């Protein structure tokens, strides 16, 4: 029995962590064996790469270095954790995956999104998400949530406003490109409502 890979995407502050936790509880109660992962990270090598990527010391990091580090952490995660878990029939929920790289490093940083797509393919091989939940909301809602976390901002959180707009647009472009896989869920409402919408989506798309 092959497991499933569900990825959650969206800009910082879109509520991924809460919704992932709620979905895991629901899948647990339905009897699935669920594992939650986050990118970048999830393996010893990946966590070291994560520290390099997010450290506010690394202001001189080039955009290409950043892209390749995300892909390196991902290749490690797929090989060490995601593939074995899926082969064991488990449900894997990943907090960010390939679409974040297209949105942030592609549209955000200005690297050709097609090139990013190809590097994603190199990192994941045949492990393509069965379902991608893109959490999105009217911009005003997101802005309020994001401003609350400015105190603990990491290197990527510190990018200027234009970067966030481009990233947001990047997710929309990815959704247009992969409409079967990527589903937009409106997160600008009560979290229980958003959760119900996600459960409906999972029921519909992952028989
Ligand atoms: P983290 O604190 O884990 O994210 P979140 O805001 O989702 O809790 O930090 C991850 C940061 O890395 C986040 O700002 C998004 C960014 N990122 C990329 O730029 N490219 C990628 O491929 C991934 C996976 C994340």
């Amino acid at each position: 029995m092959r497991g499933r890979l569900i990825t959650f995407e969206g800009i910082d502050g879109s509520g991924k962590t809460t919704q992932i936790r709620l979905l895991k509880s629901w899948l647990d109660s339905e009897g699935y064996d669920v594992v939650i992962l986050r990118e970048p990270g999830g393996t010893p090598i990946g966590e070291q790469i994560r520290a390099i990527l997010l450290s506010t010391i690394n202001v001189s990091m080039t955009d290409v270095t950043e892209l390749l580090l995300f892909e390196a952490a991902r290749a490690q995660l797929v090989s060490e954790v995601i593939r074995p878990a899926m082969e064991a029939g488990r449900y894997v929920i990943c907090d960010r995956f390939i679409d974040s790289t297209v949105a942030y490093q592609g549209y955000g940083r200005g690297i050709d999104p097609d090139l990013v797509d190809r590097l994603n393919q190199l990192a994941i091989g045949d492990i393509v998400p069965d379902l991608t939940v893109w959490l999105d909301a009217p911009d005003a809602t997101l802005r309020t949530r994001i401003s609350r976390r400015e105190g603990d901002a990491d290197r990527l959180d510190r990018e200027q406003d234009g970067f966030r707009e481009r990233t947001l647009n990047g997710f929309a472009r990815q959704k247009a490109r992969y409409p079967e896989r990527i589903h937009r869920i409106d997160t600008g409402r009560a979290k229980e409502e958003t959760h119900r919408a996600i459960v409906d989506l999972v029921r519909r798309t992952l028989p």
Side-chain angles (χ1 to χ4, degrees), residues 8-14 16-17 38-41 50 53-54 66-67 69-71 74 95-106 109 116 120 149 152 154-158 163 167 171:
F8 275 71
E9 299 281 7
I11 63 167
D12 307 302
S14 54
K16 292 189 300 300
T17 312
R38 71 165 178 189
E39 277 217 324
R50 177 185 177 85
L53 278 166
L54 300 187
E66 182 182 284
L67 167 64
L69 285 176
F70 276 114
E71 297 295 1
R74 177 164 304 135
D95 188 343
R96 298 191 179 284
F97 202 55
I98 46 177
D99 304 301
S100 277
T101 321
V102 174
Y104 285 80
Q105 282 64 52
R109 300 287 192 215
V116 179
N120 277 336
R149 10 182 300 173
D152 61 352
D154 61 44
R155 192 177 57 82
L156 282 132
D157 290 332
R158 290 188 179 180
F163 180 75
T167 305
F171 283 119

Side-chain angles (χ1 to χ4, degrees), residues 40-59:
T43 65
I45 292 172
E47 290 296 330
Q48 293 173 67
I49 295 175
R50 177 185 177 85
I52 298 172
L53 278 166
L54 300 187
S55 169
T56 49
I57 295 170
N58 293 330
V59 283

Side-chain angles (χ1 to χ4, degrees), residues 81-124:
V81 184
I82 300 181
R83 184 186 297 279
M86 289 175 74
E87 281 170 2
R90 305 181 79 185
Y91 269 54
V92 178
I93 304 180
C94 201
D95 188 343
R96 298 191 179 284
F97 202 55
I98 46 177
D99 304 301
S100 277
T101 321
V102 174
Y104 285 80
Q105 282 64 52
Y107 290 92
R109 300 287 192 215
I111 300 173
D112 177 8
D114 289 335
L115 177 61
V116 179
D117 242 0
R118 291 188 54 212
L119 287 172
N120 277 336
Q121 281 163 29
L122 178 67
I124 67 176

Side-chain angles (χ1 to χ4, degrees), residues 135-192:
L135 294 181
D136 190 33
D139 205 42
T141 316
L142 287 177
R143 249 174 231 280
T144 319
R145 287 188 201 158
I146 290 155
S147 60
R148 284 199 215 114
R149 10 182 300 173
E150 261 164 17
D152 61 352
D154 61 44
R155 192 177 57 82
L156 282 132
D157 290 332
R158 290 188 179 180
E159 289 301 328
Q160 299 305 306
D161 243 5
F163 180 75
R164 220 170 49 77
E165 300 305 328
R166 290 196 300 280
T167 305
L168 196 51
N169 173 51
F171 283 119
R173 299 284 286 271
Q174 274 299 90
K175 154 93 185 119
R177 189 164 181 181
Y178 299 102
E180 308 269 286
R181 170 172 67 84
I182 304 178
H183 295 258
R184 178 184 181 278
I185 293 282
D186 188 343
T187 186
R189 50 186 163 170
K191 65 172 187 271
E192 294 76 16

